[in-house]
Amino acid sequence: MTQVESPKLGRKRDHSRDPEILDAALEVLAECGYDGMTVEMVAARAKAGKATLYRRWASKNELVIDAVACMKRADLEHLPDTGTLRGDLVGLIKPRTIEEAEKKLQIMAGLSSMLSKSPELAQAIEQAIIRPRAEANKTLLRRAIERGEIASDCDLETLALITPAMTAYRVLVLQKPVDRPFLLSIIDGVLLPAVGIRVDSFERTPAG
């Protein structure tokens, strides 16, 4: 019987440089905008070969979506556990320098430009931007249910989407920055009342 040789496996792709490349993509996107950005520029910034990037990301669109998704995941790596739903939600608001806030707005403006040219990417962008924050919110809401802080029959899917959906609209459509007062207004004026928690102005000041 003739022995069939096993097919030789190709060399595994090295993903160790992905974080550097994705950071470079965000920097170029913030500096040049989506229209001015090229894969070649990202490769040069990351000191990587252009072929390396194209083997990993087939298009500029894919590279941008992956870079923004990575940025979002980093923002949600450690979920706060303060003992109250409001404390946890406020704990998700990370302090930002003016420069970081401006960079983020420029990045999201670039994403908006990409979406206007390629509306078919809406689902991919939703998975990259809105879904991670919604999943984080869902975790915090489940904790609140377990503590008996809110009712167990809350519509978690809808409630978890309130903050990321309103944030995405503000950035992608209105092209306005997302700052702490805006996020607190959603938490205190929309999300908490929706689950039956009332926050008056006296309570907001020390926690916010």
mmCIF file of all heavy atoms in Angstrom, residues 55-101:
data_model
loop_
_atom_site.group_PDB
_atom_site.id
_atom_site.type_symbol
_atom_site.label_atom_id
_atom_site.label_comp_id
_atom_site.label_asym_id
_atom_site.label_seq_id
_atom_site.Cartn_x
_atom_site.Cartn_y
_atom_site.Cartn_z
ATOM 1 N N ARG A 55 -1.063 40.503 4.750
ATOM 2 C CA ARG A 55 -1.326 39.097 5.081
ATOM 3 C C ARG A 55 -2.266 39.001 6.276
ATOM 4 O O ARG A 55 -3.023 38.047 6.408
ATOM 5 C CB ARG A 55 -0.008 38.370 5.397
ATOM 6 C CG ARG A 55 0.778 37.930 4.176
ATOM 7 C CD ARG A 55 1.851 36.918 4.540
ATOM 8 N NE ARG A 55 2.858 37.477 5.440
ATOM 9 C CZ ARG A 55 3.977 38.074 5.043
ATOM 10 N NH1 ARG A 55 4.232 38.183 3.746
ATOM 11 N NH2 ARG A 55 4.837 38.545 5.923
ATOM 12 N N ARG A 56 -2.199 39.996 7.132
ATOM 13 C CA ARG A 56 -3.018 39.980 8.345
ATOM 14 C C ARG A 56 -4.359 40.684 8.136
ATOM 15 O O ARG A 56 -5.380 40.261 8.655
ATOM 16 C CB ARG A 56 -2.221 40.665 9.464
ATOM 17 C CG ARG A 56 -2.935 40.756 10.794
ATOM 18 C CD ARG A 56 -3.032 39.419 11.488
ATOM 19 N NE ARG A 56 -3.618 39.573 12.815
ATOM 20 C CZ ARG A 56 -4.912 39.646 13.068
ATOM 21 N NH1 ARG A 56 -5.787 39.578 12.070
ATOM 22 N NH2 ARG A 56 -5.355 39.769 14.303
ATOM 23 N N TRP A 57 -4.348 41.782 7.388
ATOM 24 C CA TRP A 57 -5.581 42.538 7.116
ATOM 25 C C TRP A 57 -5.683 42.748 5.610
ATOM 26 O O TRP A 57 -4.821 43.391 4.996
ATOM 27 C CB TRP A 57 -5.536 43.898 7.824
ATOM 28 C CG TRP A 57 -5.478 43.764 9.317
ATOM 29 C CD1 TRP A 57 -6.523 43.563 10.165
ATOM 30 C CD2 TRP A 57 -4.304 43.825 10.151
ATOM 31 N NE1 TRP A 57 -6.082 43.492 11.461
ATOM 32 C CE2 TRP A 57 -4.725 43.661 11.481
ATOM 33 C CE3 TRP A 57 -2.933 44.016 9.884
ATOM 34 C CZ2 TRP A 57 -3.835 43.651 12.552
ATOM 35 C CZ3 TRP A 57 -2.045 44.015 10.956
ATOM 36 C CH2 TRP A 57 -2.492 43.833 12.270
ATOM 37 N N ALA A 58 -6.751 42.255 5.025
ATOM 38 C CA ALA A 58 -6.882 42.286 3.566
ATOM 39 C C ALA A 58 -7.148 43.684 3.023
ATOM 40 O O ALA A 58 -6.955 43.940 1.841
ATOM 41 C CB ALA A 58 -8.012 41.345 3.124
ATOM 42 N N SER A 59 -7.603 44.588 3.875
ATOM 43 C CA SER A 59 -7.933 45.936 3.397
ATOM 44 C C SER A 59 -7.727 46.955 4.503
ATOM 45 O O SER A 59 -7.596 46.605 5.685
ATOM 46 C CB SER A 59 -9.388 45.988 2.923
ATOM 47 O OG SER A 59 -10.267 45.818 4.038
ATOM 48 N N LYS A 60 -7.724 48.213 4.125
ATOM 49 C CA LYS A 60 -7.625 49.292 5.105
ATOM 50 C C LYS A 60 -8.832 49.264 6.039
ATOM 51 O O LYS A 60 -8.699 49.521 7.246
ATOM 52 C CB LYS A 60 -7.533 50.645 4.381
ATOM 53 C CG LYS A 60 -7.406 51.835 5.331
ATOM 54 C CD LYS A 60 -7.092 53.125 4.592
ATOM 55 C CE LYS A 60 -8.289 53.662 3.838
ATOM 56 N NZ LYS A 60 -8.054 55.044 3.342
ATOM 57 N N ASN A 61 -10.005 48.950 5.494
ATOM 58 C CA ASN A 61 -11.213 48.872 6.317
ATOM 59 C C ASN A 61 -11.030 47.895 7.480
ATOM 60 O O ASN A 61 -11.344 48.203 8.628
ATOM 61 C CB ASN A 61 -12.410 48.423 5.479
ATOM 62 C CG ASN A 61 -12.884 49.489 4.520
ATOM 63 O OD1 ASN A 61 -12.478 50.642 4.611
ATOM 64 N ND2 ASN A 61 -13.734 49.117 3.584
ATOM 65 N N GLU A 62 -10.542 46.695 7.151
ATOM 66 C CA GLU A 62 -10.370 45.669 8.174
ATOM 67 C C GLU A 62 -9.369 46.108 9.230
ATOM 68 O O GLU A 62 -9.554 45.861 10.425
ATOM 69 C CB GLU A 62 -9.913 44.352 7.537
ATOM 70 C CG GLU A 62 -10.969 43.666 6.702
ATOM 71 C CD GLU A 62 -10.492 42.325 6.169
ATOM 72 O OE1 GLU A 62 -9.463 41.815 6.673
ATOM 73 O OE2 GLU A 62 -11.133 41.793 5.256
ATOM 74 N N LEU A 63 -8.299 46.747 8.787
ATOM 75 C CA LEU A 63 -7.270 47.221 9.713
ATOM 76 C C LEU A 63 -7.844 48.263 10.676
ATOM 77 O O LEU A 63 -7.601 48.210 11.890
ATOM 78 C CB LEU A 63 -6.096 47.809 8.929
ATOM 79 C CG LEU A 63 -4.960 48.440 9.744
ATOM 80 C CD1 LEU A 63 -4.357 47.429 10.704
ATOM 81 C CD2 LEU A 63 -3.886 48.998 8.805
ATOM 82 N N VAL A 64 -8.619 49.201 10.156
ATOM 83 C CA VAL A 64 -9.199 50.256 10.986
ATOM 84 C C VAL A 64 -10.175 49.667 12.000
ATOM 85 O O VAL A 64 -10.139 50.001 13.191
ATOM 86 C CB VAL A 64 -9.900 51.309 10.106
ATOM 87 C CG1 VAL A 64 -10.756 52.236 10.964
ATOM 88 C CG2 VAL A 64 -8.872 52.116 9.333
ATOM 89 N N ILE A 65 -11.057 48.788 11.559
ATOM 90 C CA ILE A 65 -12.050 48.192 12.459
ATOM 91 C C ILE A 65 -11.363 47.400 13.564
ATOM 92 O O ILE A 65 -11.725 47.488 14.738
ATOM 93 C CB ILE A 65 -13.028 47.297 11.673
ATOM 94 C CG1 ILE A 65 -13.919 48.165 10.777
ATOM 95 C CG2 ILE A 65 -13.887 46.471 12.621
ATOM 96 C CD1 ILE A 65 -14.802 47.365 9.844
ATOM 97 N N ASP A 66 -10.333 46.641 13.204
ATOM 98 C CA ASP A 66 -9.608 45.844 14.194
ATOM 99 C C ASP A 66 -8.892 46.755 15.198
ATOM 100 O O ASP A 66 -8.860 46.472 16.397
ATOM 101 C CB ASP A 66 -8.594 44.937 13.488
ATOM 102 C CG ASP A 66 -8.325 43.655 14.276
ATOM 103 O OD1 ASP A 66 -8.955 43.471 15.329
ATOM 104 O OD2 ASP A 66 -7.496 42.849 13.832
ATOM 105 N N ALA A 67 -8.322 47.843 14.704
ATOM 106 C CA ALA A 67 -7.595 48.762 15.584
ATOM 107 C C ALA A 67 -8.539 49.418 16.589
ATOM 108 O O ALA A 67 -8.229 49.522 17.782
ATOM 109 C CB ALA A 67 -6.876 49.824 14.754
ATOM 110 N N VAL A 68 -9.704 49.865 16.118
ATOM 111 C CA VAL A 68 -10.674 50.508 17.009
ATOM 112 C C VAL A 68 -11.234 49.493 18.003
ATOM 113 O O VAL A 68 -11.435 49.804 19.180
ATOM 114 C CB VAL A 68 -11.799 51.167 16.198
ATOM 115 C CG1 VAL A 68 -12.873 51.722 17.133
ATOM 116 C CG2 VAL A 68 -11.238 52.290 15.334
ATOM 117 N N ALA A 69 -11.468 48.259 17.545
ATOM 118 C CA ALA A 69 -11.963 47.213 18.441
ATOM 119 C C ALA A 69 -10.959 46.937 19.549
ATOM 120 O O ALA A 69 -11.330 46.758 20.718
ATOM 121 C CB ALA A 69 -12.241 45.935 17.654
ATOM 122 N N CYS A 70 -9.680 46.920 19.198
ATOM 123 C CA CYS A 70 -8.628 46.694 20.184
ATOM 124 C C CYS A 70 -8.599 47.825 21.205
ATOM 125 O O CYS A 70 -8.435 47.600 22.403
ATOM 126 C CB CYS A 70 -7.282 46.567 19.474
ATOM 127 S SG CYS A 70 -5.915 46.114 20.555
ATOM 128 N N MET A 71 -8.773 49.048 20.731
ATOM 129 C CA MET A 71 -8.808 50.211 21.613
ATOM 130 C C MET A 71 -9.974 50.104 22.590
ATOM 131 O O MET A 71 -9.839 50.388 23.783
ATOM 132 C CB MET A 71 -8.935 51.489 20.780
ATOM 133 C CG MET A 71 -9.050 52.769 21.580
ATOM 134 S SD MET A 71 -9.291 54.231 20.518
ATOM 135 C CE MET A 71 -11.005 53.983 19.986
ATOM 136 N N LYS A 72 -11.127 49.680 22.099
ATOM 137 C CA LYS A 72 -12.310 49.548 22.945
ATOM 138 C C LYS A 72 -12.122 48.456 23.994
ATOM 139 O O LYS A 72 -12.500 48.610 25.153
ATOM 140 C CB LYS A 72 -13.546 49.234 22.084
ATOM 141 C CG LYS A 72 -14.056 50.417 21.299
ATOM 142 C CD LYS A 72 -14.605 51.465 22.234
ATOM 143 C CE LYS A 72 -15.124 52.665 21.479
ATOM 144 N NZ LYS A 72 -15.629 53.713 22.395
ATOM 145 N N ARG A 73 -11.526 47.329 23.579
ATOM 146 C CA ARG A 73 -11.301 46.241 24.535
ATOM 147 C C ARG A 73 -10.362 46.682 25.649
ATOM 148 O O ARG A 73 -10.550 46.324 26.809
ATOM 149 C CB ARG A 73 -10.734 45.012 23.813
ATOM 150 C CG ARG A 73 -11.756 44.256 22.974
ATOM 151 C CD ARG A 73 -11.232 42.896 22.572
ATOM 152 N NE ARG A 73 -10.045 42.974 21.750
ATOM 153 C CZ ARG A 73 -10.046 43.050 20.417
ATOM 154 N NH1 ARG A 73 -11.200 43.066 19.766
ATOM 155 N NH2 ARG A 73 -8.919 43.101 19.738
ATOM 156 N N ALA A 74 -9.361 47.455 25.295
ATOM 157 C CA ALA A 74 -8.405 47.941 26.304
ATOM 158 C C ALA A 74 -9.102 48.835 27.325
ATOM 159 O O ALA A 74 -8.771 48.812 28.513
ATOM 160 C CB ALA A 74 -7.267 48.694 25.620
ATOM 161 N N ASP A 75 -10.073 49.611 26.867
ATOM 162 C CA ASP A 75 -10.809 50.501 27.767
ATOM 163 C C ASP A 75 -11.642 49.718 28.785
ATOM 164 O O ASP A 75 -11.992 50.235 29.850
ATOM 165 C CB ASP A 75 -11.744 51.415 26.968
ATOM 166 C CG ASP A 75 -10.980 52.542 26.281
ATOM 167 O OD1 ASP A 75 -9.805 52.768 26.634
ATOM 168 O OD2 ASP A 75 -11.562 53.191 25.397
ATOM 169 N N LEU A 76 -11.979 48.460 28.452
ATOM 170 C CA LEU A 76 -12.903 47.687 29.290
ATOM 171 C C LEU A 76 -12.241 46.463 29.922
ATOM 172 O O LEU A 76 -12.930 45.523 30.315
ATOM 173 C CB LEU A 76 -14.104 47.241 28.438
ATOM 174 C CG LEU A 76 -14.938 48.368 27.824
ATOM 175 C CD1 LEU A 76 -15.936 47.809 26.825
ATOM 176 C CD2 LEU A 76 -15.664 49.155 28.910
ATOM 177 N N GLU A 77 -10.924 46.482 30.016
ATOM 178 C CA GLU A 77 -10.203 45.318 30.529
ATOM 179 C C GLU A 77 -10.574 45.003 31.971
ATOM 180 O O GLU A 77 -10.712 43.844 32.347
ATOM 181 C CB GLU A 77 -8.691 45.536 30.418
ATOM 182 C CG GLU A 77 -8.144 45.225 29.042
ATOM 183 C CD GLU A 77 -6.634 45.407 28.970
ATOM 184 O OE1 GLU A 77 -6.056 45.885 29.966
ATOM 185 O OE2 GLU A 77 -6.054 45.077 27.939
ATOM 186 N N HIS A 78 -10.693 46.017 32.801
ATOM 187 C CA HIS A 78 -10.972 45.796 34.225
ATOM 188 C C HIS A 78 -12.266 46.501 34.604
ATOM 189 O O HIS A 78 -12.327 47.730 34.667
ATOM 190 C CB HIS A 78 -9.816 46.321 35.069
ATOM 191 C CG HIS A 78 -8.489 45.741 34.697
ATOM 192 N ND1 HIS A 78 -8.163 44.424 34.939
ATOM 193 C CD2 HIS A 78 -7.415 46.292 34.066
ATOM 194 C CE1 HIS A 78 -6.946 44.187 34.492
ATOM 195 N NE2 HIS A 78 -6.474 45.296 33.949
ATOM 196 N N LEU A 79 -13.310 45.705 34.836
ATOM 197 C CA LEU A 79 -14.603 46.274 35.198
ATOM 198 C C LEU A 79 -14.625 46.611 36.691
ATOM 199 O O LEU A 79 -14.213 45.796 37.524
ATOM 200 C CB LEU A 79 -15.735 45.298 34.882
ATOM 201 C CG LEU A 79 -15.942 44.954 33.404
ATOM 202 C CD1 LEU A 79 -17.137 44.019 33.267
ATOM 203 C CD2 LEU A 79 -16.145 46.209 32.573
ATOM 204 N N PRO A 80 -15.101 47.802 37.042
ATOM 205 C CA PRO A 80 -15.164 48.189 38.462
ATOM 206 C C PRO A 80 -16.195 47.361 39.211
ATOM 207 O O PRO A 80 -17.156 46.862 38.624
ATOM 208 C CB PRO A 80 -15.574 49.663 38.393
ATOM 209 C CG PRO A 80 -16.265 49.814 37.085
ATOM 210 C CD PRO A 80 -15.593 48.858 36.146
ATOM 211 N N ASP A 81 -15.990 47.197 40.505
ATOM 212 C CA ASP A 81 -16.948 46.484 41.353
ATOM 213 C C ASP A 81 -17.064 47.262 42.662
ATOM 214 O O ASP A 81 -16.399 46.969 43.651
ATOM 215 C CB ASP A 81 -16.468 45.058 41.615
ATOM 216 C CG ASP A 81 -17.545 44.202 42.271
ATOM 217 O OD1 ASP A 81 -18.631 44.746 42.567
ATOM 218 O OD2 ASP A 81 -17.299 43.008 42.498
ATOM 219 N N THR A 82 -17.907 48.293 42.651
ATOM 220 C CA THR A 82 -18.005 49.225 43.779
ATOM 221 C C THR A 82 -19.097 48.862 44.773
ATOM 222 O O THR A 82 -19.169 49.448 45.841
ATOM 223 C CB THR A 82 -18.283 50.648 43.262
ATOM 224 O OG1 THR A 82 -19.584 50.662 42.643
ATOM 225 C CG2 THR A 82 -17.229 51.087 42.256
ATOM 226 N N GLY A 83 -19.961 47.928 44.392
ATOM 227 C CA GLY A 83 -21.066 47.566 45.279
ATOM 228 C C GLY A 83 -22.382 48.199 44.917
ATOM 229 O O GLY A 83 -23.426 47.849 45.473
ATOM 230 N N THR A 84 -22.366 49.167 43.985
ATOM 231 C CA THR A 84 -23.615 49.768 43.505
ATOM 232 C C THR A 84 -23.555 49.870 41.987
ATOM 233 O O THR A 84 -22.468 49.987 41.401
ATOM 234 C CB THR A 84 -23.847 51.182 44.073
ATOM 235 O OG1 THR A 84 -22.869 52.087 43.531
ATOM 236 C CG2 THR A 84 -23.770 51.182 45.587
ATOM 237 N N LEU A 85 -24.719 49.848 41.369
ATOM 238 C CA LEU A 85 -24.764 49.945 39.918
ATOM 239 C C LEU A 85 -24.235 51.292 39.451
ATOM 240 O O LEU A 85 -23.437 51.362 38.512
ATOM 241 C CB LEU A 85 -26.197 49.747 39.415
ATOM 242 C CG LEU A 85 -26.396 49.866 37.900
ATOM 243 C CD1 LEU A 85 -25.518 48.871 37.144
ATOM 244 C CD2 LEU A 85 -27.866 49.672 37.536
ATOM 245 N N ARG A 86 -24.648 52.367 40.105
ATOM 246 C CA ARG A 86 -24.170 53.684 39.681
ATOM 247 C C ARG A 86 -22.663 53.797 39.849
ATOM 248 O O ARG A 86 -21.955 54.326 38.988
ATOM 249 C CB ARG A 86 -24.856 54.813 40.455
ATOM 250 C CG ARG A 86 -24.394 56.179 39.941
ATOM 251 C CD ARG A 86 -25.101 57.337 40.609
ATOM 252 N NE ARG A 86 -24.779 58.572 39.905
ATOM 253 C CZ ARG A 86 -23.737 59.352 40.203
ATOM 254 N NH1 ARG A 86 -22.921 59.016 41.198
ATOM 255 N NH2 ARG A 86 -23.506 60.446 39.507
ATOM 256 N N GLY A 87 -22.150 53.303 40.979
ATOM 257 C CA GLY A 87 -20.714 53.348 41.203
ATOM 258 C C GLY A 87 -19.948 52.610 40.126
ATOM 259 O O GLY A 87 -18.907 53.079 39.643
ATOM 260 N N ASP A 88 -20.473 51.460 39.710
ATOM 261 C CA ASP A 88 -19.813 50.678 38.657
ATOM 262 C C ASP A 88 -19.863 51.400 37.315
ATOM 263 O O ASP A 88 -18.864 51.451 36.584
ATOM 264 C CB ASP A 88 -20.478 49.302 38.523
ATOM 265 C CG ASP A 88 -20.189 48.404 39.719
ATOM 266 O OD1 ASP A 88 -19.308 48.760 40.535
ATOM 267 O OD2 ASP A 88 -20.838 47.348 39.831
ATOM 268 N N LEU A 89 -21.029 51.947 36.984
ATOM 269 C CA LEU A 89 -21.181 52.643 35.704
ATOM 270 C C LEU A 89 -20.287 53.884 35.643
ATOM 271 O O LEU A 89 -19.638 54.146 34.621
ATOM 272 C CB LEU A 89 -22.643 53.033 35.486
ATOM 273 C CG LEU A 89 -23.619 51.880 35.248
ATOM 274 C CD1 LEU A 89 -25.062 52.376 35.312
ATOM 275 C CD2 LEU A 89 -23.347 51.194 33.901
ATOM 276 N N VAL A 90 -20.241 54.631 36.744
ATOM 277 C CA VAL A 90 -19.381 55.809 36.787
ATOM 278 C C VAL A 90 -17.914 55.390 36.736
ATOM 279 O O VAL A 90 -17.076 56.062 36.134
ATOM 280 C CB VAL A 90 -19.664 56.650 38.054
ATOM 281 C CG1 VAL A 90 -18.643 57.773 38.206
ATOM 282 C CG2 VAL A 90 -21.071 57.233 37.991
ATOM 283 N N GLY A 91 -17.605 54.234 37.338
ATOM 284 C CA GLY A 91 -16.244 53.730 37.332
ATOM 285 C C GLY A 91 -15.734 53.383 35.942
ATOM 286 O O GLY A 91 -14.520 53.317 35.716
ATOM 287 N N LEU A 92 -16.656 53.163 35.019
ATOM 288 C CA LEU A 92 -16.256 52.888 33.632
ATOM 289 C C LEU A 92 -15.784 54.136 32.906
ATOM 290 O O LEU A 92 -15.168 54.038 31.845
ATOM 291 C CB LEU A 92 -17.423 52.272 32.846
ATOM 292 C CG LEU A 92 -17.730 50.794 33.072
ATOM 293 C CD1 LEU A 92 -18.924 50.392 32.210
ATOM 294 C CD2 LEU A 92 -16.528 49.922 32.741
ATOM 295 N N ILE A 93 -16.100 55.305 33.448
ATOM 296 C CA ILE A 93 -15.686 56.557 32.813
ATOM 297 C C ILE A 93 -14.226 56.800 33.165
ATOM 298 O O ILE A 93 -13.894 57.158 34.292
ATOM 299 C CB ILE A 93 -16.551 57.748 33.283
ATOM 300 C CG1 ILE A 93 -18.035 57.453 33.054
ATOM 301 C CG2 ILE A 93 -16.132 59.021 32.552
ATOM 302 C CD1 ILE A 93 -18.954 58.532 33.606
ATOM 303 N N LYS A 94 -13.356 56.562 32.209
ATOM 304 C CA LYS A 94 -11.928 56.696 32.458
ATOM 305 C C LYS A 94 -11.491 58.151 32.338
ATOM 306 O O LYS A 94 -11.932 58.862 31.437
ATOM 307 C CB LYS A 94 -11.139 55.857 31.446
ATOM 308 C CG LYS A 94 -11.462 54.363 31.481
ATOM 309 C CD LYS A 94 -11.023 53.741 32.785
ATOM 310 C CE LYS A 94 -11.101 52.226 32.733
ATOM 311 N NZ LYS A 94 -12.430 51.678 32.535
ATOM 312 N N PRO A 95 -10.625 58.604 33.247
ATOM 313 C CA PRO A 95 -10.100 59.970 33.114
ATOM 314 C C PRO A 95 -9.230 60.077 31.870
ATOM 315 O O PRO A 95 -8.442 59.186 31.572
ATOM 316 C CB PRO A 95 -9.266 60.158 34.390
ATOM 317 C CG PRO A 95 -8.932 58.782 34.832
ATOM 318 C CD PRO A 95 -10.088 57.913 34.421
ATOM 319 N N ARG A 96 -9.394 61.147 31.124
ATOM 320 C CA ARG A 96 -8.642 61.337 29.877
ATOM 321 C C ARG A 96 -7.999 62.714 29.867
ATOM 322 O O ARG A 96 -8.583 63.679 30.341
ATOM 323 C CB ARG A 96 -9.569 61.230 28.654
ATOM 324 C CG ARG A 96 -10.293 59.901 28.522
ATOM 325 C CD ARG A 96 -9.355 58.817 28.048
ATOM 326 N NE ARG A 96 -10.070 57.559 27.866
ATOM 327 C CZ ARG A 96 -9.465 56.404 27.660
ATOM 328 N NH1 ARG A 96 -8.150 56.340 27.619
ATOM 329 N NH2 ARG A 96 -10.168 55.302 27.496
ATOM 330 N N THR A 97 -6.828 62.790 29.293
ATOM 331 C CA THR A 97 -6.234 64.099 29.078
ATOM 332 C C THR A 97 -6.911 64.720 27.868
ATOM 333 O O THR A 97 -7.589 64.034 27.086
ATOM 334 C CB THR A 97 -4.729 63.978 28.803
ATOM 335 O OG1 THR A 97 -4.539 63.266 27.566
ATOM 336 C CG2 THR A 97 -4.022 63.234 29.919
ATOM 337 N N ILE A 98 -6.749 66.008 27.708
ATOM 338 C CA ILE A 98 -7.348 66.697 26.558
ATOM 339 C C ILE A 98 -6.822 66.097 25.261
ATOM 340 O O ILE A 98 -7.567 65.890 24.302
ATOM 341 C CB ILE A 98 -7.048 68.207 26.622
ATOM 342 C CG1 ILE A 98 -7.748 68.831 27.838
ATOM 343 C CG2 ILE A 98 -7.480 68.910 25.343
ATOM 344 C CD1 ILE A 98 -7.412 70.287 28.073
ATOM 345 N N GLU A 99 -5.516 65.803 25.233
ATOM 346 C CA GLU A 99 -4.912 65.254 24.014
ATOM 347 C C GLU A 99 -5.520 63.898 23.669
ATOM 348 O O GLU A 99 -5.815 63.624 22.505
ATOM 349 C CB GLU A 99 -3.395 65.105 24.197
ATOM 350 C CG GLU A 99 -2.639 66.417 24.277
ATOM 351 C CD GLU A 99 -2.726 67.049 25.659
ATOM 352 O OE1 GLU A 99 -3.258 66.400 26.590
ATOM 353 O OE2 GLU A 99 -2.271 68.204 25.799
ATOM 354 N N GLU A 100 -5.717 63.035 24.669
ATOM 355 C CA GLU A 100 -6.305 61.717 24.419
ATOM 356 C C GLU A 100 -7.739 61.840 23.924
ATOM 357 O O GLU A 100 -8.167 61.106 23.029
ATOM 358 C CB GLU A 100 -6.265 60.880 25.699
ATOM 359 C CG GLU A 100 -4.897 60.360 26.056
ATOM 360 C CD GLU A 100 -4.911 59.607 27.367
ATOM 361 O OE1 GLU A 100 -5.624 60.033 28.299
ATOM 362 O OE2 GLU A 100 -4.219 58.586 27.465
ATOM 363 N N ALA A 101 -8.484 62.763 24.523
ATOM 364 C CA ALA A 101 -9.881 62.958 24.120
ATOM 365 C C ALA A 101 -9.957 63.434 22.669
ATOM 366 O O ALA A 101 -10.804 62.969 21.891
ATOM 367 C CB ALA A 101 -10.553 63.966 25.045
#
